[in-house]
Amino acid sequence: MVPSGSLGFSNITAGPPVFTRRSAMVPASSSTSTSRVILRSSPSRSSESMYRPRLVHATTRTHDSPLRRFAFLPHDRWILFTSSTPRHVSDAIDVDVLVVGAGPGGGNAALQCARKGLSTLIIEDHSEIGTPVHCGECISDEAVANLNLQLPEEVISKRVNGIRVIFPDGTEKQLTETGYVLEKHLFEQWIAQSAVEEGAELALKHKLTSMERIEQDGEFKGWRCDGKGERFPISAKIVIDASGVSAVCSRFIKPDGSNPLNDKGKVVAGMQYELTNVPTDGYLDFYIWPKYAEKGYLWMIPKCDGRANVGLVTEDRPRAKKALDEFIEDTHFKGLEQKLPPWKEKGNPAFGGTIPISGPFENTHHDGLMLVGDAAGFTSPLFEGGSHLALKSAVFAAETAAMAISKSDLSSEMMSAYTRSWKAEFPPYDKILRGKNALFQLSDEEMSVMATCFPDEMSDMGASGKAMVGLRVLFRRPSLYSKRIVSAMLAFGYSRAKYYGW
């Protein structure tokens, strides 16, 4: 899946190909290298689309300079990236923007920067984009519209109807708002290749290890970045940190010479299996069952062909896998086959990672630096959705980068426009976090009482509906008001897609 239009070849021959600067492919230096590439493009999409997918079919044969694929797609669709000519350490690459990480936030940041005419390089420390998958793989129609996405069929696994919440006593309430379950690794590859088509360059297996300020006559001019990988060192006017929960730039940059830009945030463990033959009616099921997920939740996210992600998020990280296994054993998921997800060739079928839960970092910008997605602490507090926030924060970062470079002002004051943008757009994290904390202070029985006060369908409550919920709580368990029940209930409202919940 590659954006429509030319991939960047200026000529295709039986010998070594010649590439334009728009391509992420760099010609191999060896004269013995050969490559044969066959391109087949899908019909062009509207220029209004944010992403324009295209398929590229390629077969390769190399000798001294082997081609390296950045994404292995189904049906032998390869997108290729070659080794570049080795360079001396002093021969630094100069770019306008260096994007650290090729997840959804990094890929979109690179895409938006490239579209604004900025020379952009994405570095990714893995050998393949999109793996391992760390999340439940959902995105709402609200997010698709907000980001002007036109998803290609290849990245979509299943159309879904909304969210259903199951409380400790089995009470079910649903929030109908449509969306998609994605094949997330293909989604991220698609965005990254869209960025490549727009002129960005991509380097895999490149890990950032240090950043040094570049100054001229006392004025900040950019960052000299070094690390593991043949494209280093890199000089960048602006760095966009999309490195996920590791938030590498926050560690490397020490404004006062000793303390990092941001303290390490609190995280929870997320783990899931892909199960087969899972019954579903097209809703995403979220179980608030503290017995298995302490201060967290469990989920069933349906996919195509009867597959589903079944997993949990919990603060009890050492017990995460055991708790998930117990949940499956105790429920209707018992006996269903666990299988390796399509992107995983071998190993344990369990997969996941860590999720930031402390909220946005205190500093999401600095001289020539912006943090996006998980690297900025952007997740929806209750159900930890992060893709919508990552993709949108990348848009704001690219807008700020273009403005700063056009004005030759890379200062923290100029970068602060980014922070103002996301603060004006994203929901009030502190308020939602207070509600989440209030929810997890309730006993199982109190949570279930609260659930009985909600209507069966929570998508159209309105002011009168919320007032009715309050009256029901007052009638059935007035003591819950002393436990901040209103904040807990509001947290559910802020989990909706229009508040960047998913």
Side-chain angles (χ1 to χ4, degrees):
M1 292 165 290
V2 186
S4 59
S6 171
L7 183 62
F9 295 102
S10 60
N11 188 25
I12 298 178
T13 67
V18 180
F19 305 103
T20 69
R21 191 185 183 285
R22 288 174 58 79
S23 174
M25 302 184 185
V26 182
S29 58
S30 172
S31 61
T32 61
S33 173
T34 62
S35 176
R36 187 169 73 86
V37 181
I38 306 168
L39 298 180
R40 297 174 185 170
S41 298
S42 62
S44 299
R45 293 175 181 258
S46 166
S47 61
E48 296 299 316
S49 302
M50 185 174 184
Y51 307 109
R52 301 186 301 278
R54 183 192 61 179
L55 306 183
V56 56
H57 297 250
T59 58
T60 65
R61 179 169 58 85
T62 63
H63 298 295
D64 293 347
S65 301
L67 286 171
R68 186 169 68 230
R69 64 189 178 186
F70 89 70
F72 184 74
L73 307 182
H75 314 301
D76 297 323
R77 294 196 291 272
W78 289 11
I79 302 169
L80 306 173
F81 185 96
T82 64
S83 299
S84 64
T85 304
R87 54 172 49 84
H88 298 294
V89 173
S90 60
D91 185 17
I93 296 172
D94 290 312
V95 296
D96 290 328
V97 179
L98 173 65
V99 179
V100 183
N108 196 31
L111 173 60
Q112 301 305 315
C113 286
R115 284 187 169 172
K116 294 179 184 299
L118 305 179
S119 62
T120 306
L121 172 63
I122 322 169
I123 57 172
E124 167 60 45
D125 61 356
H126 291 92
S127 60
E128 184 174 79
I129 290 177
T131 63
V133 170
H134 294 299
C135 70
E137 308 184 86
C138 310
I139 192 167
S140 64
D141 277 344
E142 184 84 23
V144 169
N146 184 27
L147 296 161
N148 196 20
L149 295 171
Q150 288 200 10
L151 299 172
E153 290 298 322
E154 290 84 358
V155 311
I156 298 171
S157 183
K158 189 176 183 65
R159 193 90 168 100
V160 290
N161 301 319
I163 295 170
R164 177 166 45 227
V165 182
I166 300 100
F167 291 87
D169 68 345
T171 298
E172 299 180 359
K173 303 295 178 179
Q174 68 185 35
L175 176 62
T176 299
E177 48 183 15
T178 54
Y180 301 93
V181 178
L182 306 172
E183 298 294 349
K184 190 68 177 298
H185 61 300
L186 301 184
F187 175 72
E188 293 182 11
Q189 291 165 7
W190 168 59
I191 296 176
Q193 183 57 26
S194 298
V196 168
E197 170 61 18
E198 291 292 338
E201 292 189 89
L202 170 68
L204 295 177
K205 299 179 71 173
H206 278 63
K207 184 176 182 178
L208 182 68
T209 59
S210 68
M211 298 173 65
E212 296 180 7
R213 292 175 64 90
I214 301 172
E215 294 188 355
Q216 182 178 353
D217 298 327
E219 183 180 355
F220 176 81
K221 291 296 183 180
W223 293 102
R224 181 181 174 86
C225 303
D226 214 337
K228 299 177 181 178
E230 60 196 16
R231 306 302 298 275
F232 289 112
I234 301 163
S235 293
K237 294 183 177 73
I238 291 174
V239 174
I240 296 177
D241 186 358
S243 61
V245 70
S246 59
V248 295
C249 296
S250 285
R251 300 201 315 267
F252 296 149
I253 295 176
K254 297 177 172 60
D256 64 0
S258 58
N259 296 308
L261 180 67
N262 292 296
D263 293 330
K264 189 174 181 179
K266 188 176 182 181
V267 299
V268 291
M271 180 173 292
Q272 59 189 341
Y273 294 110
E274 184 173 289
L275 303 184
T276 59
N277 300 315
V278 180
T280 177
D281 60 357
Y283 277 83
L284 312 173
D285 286 341
F286 290 90
Y287 300 79
I288 302 180
W289 288 6
K291 174 183 176 181
Y292 303 101
E294 180 182 346
K295 295 185 178 180
Y297 58 93
L298 306 104
W299 65 80
M300 186 284 293
I301 296 175
K303 304 186 78 173
C304 64
D305 303 324
R307 299 178 295 138
N309 293 336
V310 177
L312 91 171
V313 160
T314 177
E315 289 193 4
D316 189 357
R317 295 176 65 184
R319 192 175 174 271
K321 185 178 185 302
K322 182 179 179 181
L324 179 55
D325 290 341
E326 289 175 356
F327 169 73
I328 291 173
E329 182 69 19
D330 294 346
T331 60
H332 63 285
F333 302 115
K334 180 179 180 179
L336 298 182
E337 180 187 0
Q338 298 174 5
K339 62 178 293 184
L340 293 175
W343 51 269
K344 196 172 186 179
E345 296 180 358
K346 60 182 179 179
N348 192 308
F351 59 99
T354 53
I355 304 167
I357 61 168
S358 297
F361 283 148
E362 181 179 354
N363 300 300
T364 58
H365 71 274
H366 188 59
D367 292 336
L369 174 71
M370 289 170 283
L371 317 181
V372 302
D374 283 3
F378 296 151
T379 55
S380 180
L382 187 55
F383 294 127
E384 276 81 34
S387 293
H388 193 180
L389 292 161
L391 291 161
K392 190 66 175 183
S393 61
V395 173
F396 294 144
E399 290 171 350
T400 302
M403 177 178 65
I405 290 173
S406 69
K407 295 182 177 181
S408 299
D409 182 356
L410 310 177
S411 67
S412 179
E413 183 178 359
M414 177 61 72
M415 296 296 112
S416 68
Y418 165 69
T419 297
R420 290 193 298 273
S421 293
W422 72 253
K423 283 186 174 181
E425 174 75 9
F426 294 165
Y429 198 98
D430 290 344
K431 182 184 293 186
I432 308 170
L433 191 59
R434 286 195 297 271
K436 175 183 176 180
N437 292 335
L439 175 67
F440 290 137
Q441 292 300 315
L442 301 177
S443 68
D444 287 8
E445 190 264 344
E446 289 170 332
M447 283 187 192
S448 297
V449 170
M450 179 188 71
T452 63
C453 298
F454 287 130
D456 291 339
E457 173 57 61
M458 297 191 292
S459 59
D460 296 313
M461 289 175 61
S464 60
K466 292 175 183 177
M468 183 58 68
V469 171
L471 289 174
R472 288 173 183 159
V473 172
L474 185 63
F475 178 75
R476 296 174 186 177
R477 190 68 61 85
S479 61
L480 289 178
Y481 278 99
S482 66
K483 296 189 174 184
R484 296 184 296 160
I485 188 68
V486 174
S487 292
M489 292 189 295
L490 286 175
F492 284 98
Y494 277 117
S495 295
R496 297 185 61 180
K498 69 178 183 179
Y499 297 116
Y500 290 84
W502 67 298

